[in-house]
Amino acid sequence: IGATVIDSLDTLYLMELKEEFQEAKAWVEENFHLNVSGEASLFEVNIRYIGGLLSAFYLTGEEVFRIKAIRLGEKLLPAFNTPTGIPKGVVSFKSGSWGWATAGSSSILAEFGSLHLEFLHLTELSGNQVFAEKVRNIRKVLRKIEKPFGLYPNFLSPVSGNWVQHHVSVGGLGDSFYEYLIKSWLMSGKTDMEAKNMYYEALEAIETYLLNVSPGGLTYIAEWRGGILDHKMGHLACFSGGMIALGAEDAKEEKRVHYRELAAQITKTCHESYARSDTKLGPEAFWFNSGREAVATQLSESYYILRPEVVESYMYLWRQTHNPIYREWGWEVVLVSLGEILSDRSRFLRDPRCVQ
């Protein structure tokens, strides 16, 4: 419940839900204690708790949010106590130790690669350089290590500093690493050239080795396993349309129009994954094989869990192009989702077990 409260602070404030915001702020002040025991995900604590607190602080200037964010960041620092400085995925708040320390374990690209936005701000707000040093070391390791065809595999050993396996995905396990690179460039006032160069180099490798166009004309980003492509996209990968649109402005001049068109094509493909499903809600993953395109082919992937990536890309494309189709597509998702919720409620109320 704590993650939901803190993750929602900025939304409550922006929507002018003043009473609810004050209630959430009071919960942070009175009930969000950092002297807890147990283990927690470094990644989730960073993006939801620290990110939520930082956002609330920048919107309101309320000192409680800044202080809590810094103290929580300090609690995460033991996760970086590895031979390479690449953090482990889990940190123990009770002992201050880092988890999963065996030589065969691995850290996930999307997790350790999605720390620098928040950690750089922790340094800025605290004056403590340790936060910035930790994430700059991550980039140093990633720049130095040999990358297959310029691609970043999803699993890295924090002990040896080597890739554990050659699985590359712009969806789950890899996604926000790429997103944080281009956003770091923008957040820095376009001074972080390292982030900019790493982003465009990674995008070029993705386009060269993962980008495909189906026989039906749908552009998609496949997954790569040691040189063999899985012709599928996960719902999580659908953020990439918005990301590529966001990065188009600062690309080389001859590539800007190309990237805007590529962003539009990927976003169209992700819309098709919604349009071609029975419910008109997109599946967790969709494939391009055996004459079937942009549809789930396995029961284990035929579900929808309120992921925001497709709608996020609609928003970015709308902001960039003002093409009304993106607002229409977004509204379709709202209507369909609302219809499913009301339908579920109706079925629930008709269930004889609920009459009591």
Side-chain angles (χ1 to χ4, degrees):
I1 186 172
T4 301
V5 173
I6 293 175
D7 211 5
S8 302
L9 285 166
D10 52 357
T11 301
L12 294 173
Y13 186 85
L14 290 170
M15 294 181 69
E16 299 184 357
L17 296 171
K18 297 179 182 179
E19 182 178 340
E20 290 83 353
F21 176 81
Q22 290 301 325
E23 184 179 351
K25 176 191 169 187
W27 185 89
V28 173
E29 291 177 316
E30 299 167 13
N31 298 299
F32 183 50
H33 305 298
L34 301 181
N35 57 341
V36 295
S37 60
E39 294 184 336
S41 162
L42 172 70
F43 171 69
E44 297 292 347
V45 170
N46 180 63
I47 66 169
R48 303 193 188 285
Y49 288 91
I50 293 179
L53 291 166
L54 289 174
S55 182
F57 171 71
Y58 283 122
L59 285 169
T60 68
E62 296 279 0
E63 190 70 1
V64 62
F65 299 131
R66 184 185 74 88
I67 292 172
K68 294 273 190 177
I70 293 168
R71 289 180 179 169
L72 186 54
E74 292 169 349
K75 299 278 284 187
L76 297 182
L77 292 176
F80 294 84
N81 294 335
T82 67
T84 61
I86 296 295
K88 303 301 294 186
V90 170
V91 63
S92 171
F93 287 127
K94 182 177 182 179
S95 64
S97 64
W98 46 291
W100 302 348
T102 59
S105 65
S106 59
S107 296
I108 296 171
L109 178 67
E111 296 188 352
F112 67 78
S114 302
L115 299 173
H116 40 281
L117 290 183
E118 291 83 1
F119 269 57
L120 290 174
H121 276 284
L122 288 178
T123 282
E124 185 174 325
L125 293 178
S126 68
N128 188 345
Q129 292 299 317
V130 67
F131 300 110
E133 290 168 0
K134 296 298 185 186
V135 291
R136 288 187 182 121
N137 179 68
I138 292 173
R139 285 197 197 167
K140 180 180 178 181
V141 171
L142 289 175
R143 288 199 320 272
K144 182 179 178 181
I145 190 173
E146 183 178 349
K147 292 171 280 292
F149 304 102
L151 297 167
Y152 289 84
N154 291 333
F155 299 98
L156 181 71
S157 168
V159 177
S160 69
N162 297 320
W163 302 116
V164 175
Q165 56 177 275
H166 284 186
H167 172 222
V168 178
S169 169
V170 179
L173 305 175
D175 49 6
S176 51
F177 163 66
Y178 307 100
E179 174 189 11
Y180 267 47
L181 288 176
I182 189 61
K183 288 183 176 178
S184 290
W185 158 249
L186 296 173
M187 185 185 77
S188 71
K190 300 185 178 181
T191 60
D192 187 350
M193 293 301 297
E194 180 180 62
K196 178 184 181 181
N197 292 336
M198 288 177 71
Y199 169 76
Y200 288 109
E201 288 168 4
L203 183 57
E204 184 174 337
I206 289 166
E207 189 171 2
T208 301
Y209 296 101
L210 306 184
L211 194 70
N212 282 265
V213 179
S214 72
L218 297 179
T219 300
Y220 63 98
I221 301 175
E223 297 188 7
W224 189 86
R225 296 180 185 274
I228 299 173
L229 291 182
D230 284 340
H231 291 275
K232 74 168 184 176
M233 280 186 73
H235 195 292
L236 288 166
C238 284
F239 87 99
S240 59
M243 177 189 72
I244 294 169
L246 183 66
E249 178 182 346
D250 294 313
K252 294 177 181 178
E253 188 172 355
E254 65 272 17
K255 298 281 283 185
R256 292 174 190 170
V257 172
H258 166 70
Y259 282 142
R260 290 189 181 110
E261 178 60 25
L262 178 59
Q265 290 299 322
I266 291 173
T267 302
K268 177 184 176 183
T269 296
C270 292
H271 172 260
E272 286 298 313
S273 76
Y274 277 58
R276 299 183 186 198
S277 74
D278 292 337
T279 61
K280 305 306 176 186
L281 291 172
E284 181 68 4
F286 48 94
W287 291 76
F288 302 82
N289 54 22
S290 303
R292 305 181 69 191
E293 299 185 357
V295 294
T297 61
Q298 302 176 33
L299 185 61
S300 61
E301 297 168 339
S302 300
Y303 60 90
Y304 175 74
I305 52 175
L306 296 176
R307 292 203 187 275
E309 287 76 16
V310 173
V311 176
E312 178 185 7
S313 285
Y314 294 166
M315 184 193 73
Y316 277 93
L317 269 293
W318 156 251
R319 290 287 180 87
Q320 188 175 85
T321 69
H322 287 95
N323 184 335
I325 191 63
Y326 298 113
R327 300 183 79 181
E328 293 169 13
W329 288 351
W331 187 236
E332 287 173 5
V333 176
V334 172
L335 293 178
V336 172
S337 299
L338 182 59
E340 289 296 316
I341 291 170
L342 292 176
S343 176
D344 284 346
R345 180 175 182 272
S346 177
R347 286 195 295 270
F348 174 79
L349 293 176
R350 291 198 305 269
D351 192 321
R353 291 170 295 180
C354 300
V355 173
Q356 305 175 34

